[in-house]
Amino acid sequence: MGSSEHRGCHLAWEVSGEGPPVLLVQGVGAPGATWRPQVEALQAGWRCLRFDNRGLGASQPAGAAISVEQMAEDALALMDAQGWDSAHLVGHSLGGLVVQHLALVARARARSLALLCTFARGREVTRLTPRMLWLGTRARVGTRGMRRRAFLELILPPELLRGADRDALAARLGSVFGRDLADQPPVVGAQLEALGRYDATPRLGELAGLPTLVVSAAHDPIARPALGRALAAGIPGARYVELPAASHAVPVHDPARVNALLLEHLRAAAAAEPPSPSAAVTSSA
């Protein structure tokens, strides 16, 4: 674990494992610790870097204004701090926008993309549908118990919630998120505004040739599967997978399926990489 100063923020990060580098960027209101199920599966063969986005968790103070572009710059600064010239990029929700932007502005730094429960155009998500208005309102008003249970409906599939002890489930997920699910971190509003301003759609074609996996969850009310399909269609050669019986927090509520896809994707991307000049010299010798 460590902290790196960048643009007025002490960015808190953690690195685990050995092997090719993997950078993981989380979504709105979620600290880097929520990648723990993925890190536990990857760290035997991959060196994983996760961090709290500026203004969230231990990455304080926020310093520079919150934007997707700034968060991508933060991610690049942390790669620099590790001495990584490139990495496999994994992003969830808002983090998916961050790694898309990183790959667009610094293509040589990206070995591959894994885009989980995400999209290319943020305003498609911030535009309120009747369902999101209902769920979002219930997650912010009422008793603490009501707010926790509404938040669960935002991020978990109905199959998992059916018959579950929702209070116990909220307590368990609260330990993963590092907070009571009845409360939202102050930075969430700024993150949502940043998300709504960003649109990678016109530039997705520039990511052609970069090994890309797009994963959507069938019951996700936030990053709806239609948005995932549009994202994958915009990136030539991208692979699209839609997970049934899953919702927005699928990396947490069903990590086995997500981890299997990530491992398959990372291994295929690594196998497709050209050998380094030093490796070629050794082979020829």
Side-chain angles (χ1 to χ4, degrees):
M1 299 181 66
S3 175
S4 298
E5 174 76 23
H6 183 63
R7 294 286 301 276
C9 181
H10 297 283
L11 293 166
W13 51 265
E14 183 172 358
V15 174
S16 304
E18 294 297 334
V22 177
L23 173 73
L24 302 115
V25 186
Q26 190 48 278
V28 172
T34 53
W35 287 114
R36 187 167 127 192
Q38 283 63 58
V39 171
E40 289 176 346
L42 298 177
Q43 63 186 354
W46 308 84
R47 188 159 179 80
C48 301
L49 170 61
R50 55 189 173 176
F51 65 101
D52 295 345
N53 282 313
R54 66 173 53 234
L56 185 74
S59 290
Q60 302 292 343
I66 305 297
S67 69
V68 168
E69 293 85 352
Q70 181 59 65
M71 286 184 277
E73 183 184 312
D74 293 341
L76 282 168
L78 292 180
M79 288 174 60
D80 290 341
Q82 298 300 318
W84 293 358
D85 59 357
S86 63
H88 299 277
L89 309 178
V90 181
H92 177 265
S93 195
L94 169 62
L97 291 182
V98 172
V99 298
Q100 286 174 63
H101 187 74
L102 193 162
L104 286 168
V105 300
R107 174 62 178 267
R109 309 294 298 272
R111 299 189 186 189
S112 72
L113 280 176
L115 305 172
L116 312 178
C117 297
T118 191
F119 32 83
R121 182 183 291 118
R123 68 174 181 267
E124 298 282 2
V125 176
T126 55
R127 186 180 69 235
L128 289 177
T129 63
R131 183 184 180 193
M132 283 299 296
L133 180 61
W134 171 242
L135 290 174
T137 300
R138 288 173 54 223
R140 288 172 173 78
V141 300
T143 67
R144 299 185 69 78
M146 291 168 61
R147 299 203 303 269
R148 293 183 194 110
R149 291 189 286 274
F151 187 77
L152 293 179
E153 292 180 39
L154 270 173
I155 66 170
L156 299 179
E159 293 90 341
L160 182 58
L161 291 172
R162 194 174 296 122
D165 181 338
R166 298 194 182 194
D167 292 330
L169 189 54
R172 181 171 67 81
L173 283 180
S175 67
V176 175
F177 279 78
R179 61 177 170 82
D180 188 325
L181 298 186
D183 302 318
Q184 294 292 325
V187 76
V188 162
Q191 288 186 328
L192 288 171
E193 289 179 7
L195 181 152
R197 292 192 300 268
Y198 191 77
D199 185 2
T201 305
R203 298 188 62 187
L204 290 179
E206 297 174 33
L207 299 175
L210 184 63
T212 300
L213 170 69
V214 178
V215 178
S216 292
H219 295 284
D220 190 342
I222 301 170
R224 302 180 300 281
L227 303 181
R229 290 192 290 271
L231 172 60
I235 302 175
R239 178 191 177 195
Y240 177 74
V241 177
E242 188 171 314
L243 298 176
S247 192
H248 196 63
V250 66
V252 174
H253 77 70
D254 195 354
R257 281 197 292 177
V258 172
N259 296 345
L261 288 168
L262 284 177
L263 283 166
E264 179 185 15
H265 165 70
L266 291 171
R267 288 167 180 158
E273 290 178 345
S276 65
S278 59
V281 170
T282 302
S283 176
S284 63

